[in-house]
Amino acid sequence: MHAQIVLFDGFDPLDAIAPFEVLAAGSDAVGGELVVEMVTAEGPRAVLSGTRGLVIPATGQLDPAKPGYIVVPGASGPIEGDPDEGVETIPVLLARFGETAAVPLLRKALDNPDIIVATVCGGSLALAMAGLIEGRNANTHHLGVDVLEATGVTPVAARVVDDGDLVTAGGVTSGLDLALHLLHRSYGPRVALAVEDMFAYERRGTVWTNTGRLPMAI
């Protein structure tokens, strides 16, 4: 299996690094079966994040034929500002992502039954704004929930939302919980617990799935 963390210009570093570290530890726990890599749609390159000029190298090209996970982070930057004055806000960065070669590749990935597409924070907004997840259940940072709704996505206020081949998580630190859930789902609770123990971190919140009884109003 492969875990491809997709970088793009302006990405949020923690959205990418948290899943990367957890999945890399998971790979160690399963004897290297899981190949974890930072990728871009264009191939290997240095990628400028949206935080203080931090640059992280991507070592591969996004491949929608590789079975496993594709993880899309959100963006980092100001929430408000005038793009005409050169202010690259988070909405601008996410919309720009929708104009890149990543979108057709992610569309192919969503059509591949051997791939789970996962997002952290604004990563789901990037997919939603690109028209990739209309009609799906998802979560994002609480400031972007209205955008999910406007693009035809059903927001679910859970830490991690597992909608089958689409798994999304809320705010920035939920990338830890997302990656642990992916390990649990693919390799079982003992592997996930071993990684939790190594990081001295316990998963937070509820993992929502579209199963079970509908609750009555409370």
Side-chain angles (χ1 to χ4, degrees):
M1 285 182 62
H2 295 262
Q4 302 178 75
I5 318 292
V6 183
L7 303 185
F8 58 91
D9 294 321
F11 74 95
D12 187 294
L14 188 57
D15 286 2
I17 290 295
F20 181 87
E21 285 221 43
V22 169
L23 294 172
S27 175
D28 292 340
V30 296
E33 286 180 28
L34 182 63
V35 179
V36 186
E37 189 175 23
M38 298 286 196
V39 302
T40 74
E42 303 80 24
R45 67 181 177 93
V47 189
L48 179 65
S49 78
T51 302
R52 308 292 185 185
L54 177 66
V55 174
I56 294 180
T59 56
Q61 184 170 22
L62 175 60
D63 185 346
K66 288 180 176 178
Y69 323 127
I70 293 175
V71 182
V72 181
S76 175
I79 297 172
E80 298 179 348
D82 188 349
D84 292 335
E85 296 181 359
V87 180
E88 295 198 325
T89 63
I90 289 176
V92 167
L93 293 168
L94 294 177
R96 186 179 298 157
F97 175 83
E99 299 170 356
T100 69
V103 171
L105 294 174
L106 287 166
R107 184 174 286 111
K108 289 181 180 179
L110 286 163
D111 289 335
N112 186 340
D114 295 324
I115 290 179
I116 296 171
V117 175
T119 68
V120 183
C121 199
S124 59
L125 294 179
L127 301 190
M129 292 164 69
L132 295 177
I133 57 172
E134 184 176 359
R136 303 299 298 268
N137 300 292
N139 195 15
T140 189
H141 191 281
H142 63 88
L143 293 177
V145 170
D146 57 338
V147 178
L148 282 183
E149 288 185 298
T151 55
V153 177
T154 301
V156 180
R159 182 82 167 168
V160 175
V161 176
D162 186 329
D163 199 38
D165 63 349
L166 176 68
V167 181
T168 59
V172 185
T173 58
S174 64
L176 294 165
D177 304 284
L178 175 93
L180 286 164
H181 172 65
L182 293 176
L183 291 177
H184 188 155
R185 178 169 156 173
S186 296
Y187 299 106
R190 284 181 279 195
V191 168
L193 184 61
V195 175
E196 282 188 34
D197 183 62
M198 190 184 74
F199 280 94
Y201 177 81
E202 294 182 7
R203 276 180 280 179
R204 294 177 51 200
T206 298
V207 175
W208 180 94
T209 59
N210 196 13
T211 58
R213 293 177 57 173
L214 291 173
M216 300 176 66
I218 55 176

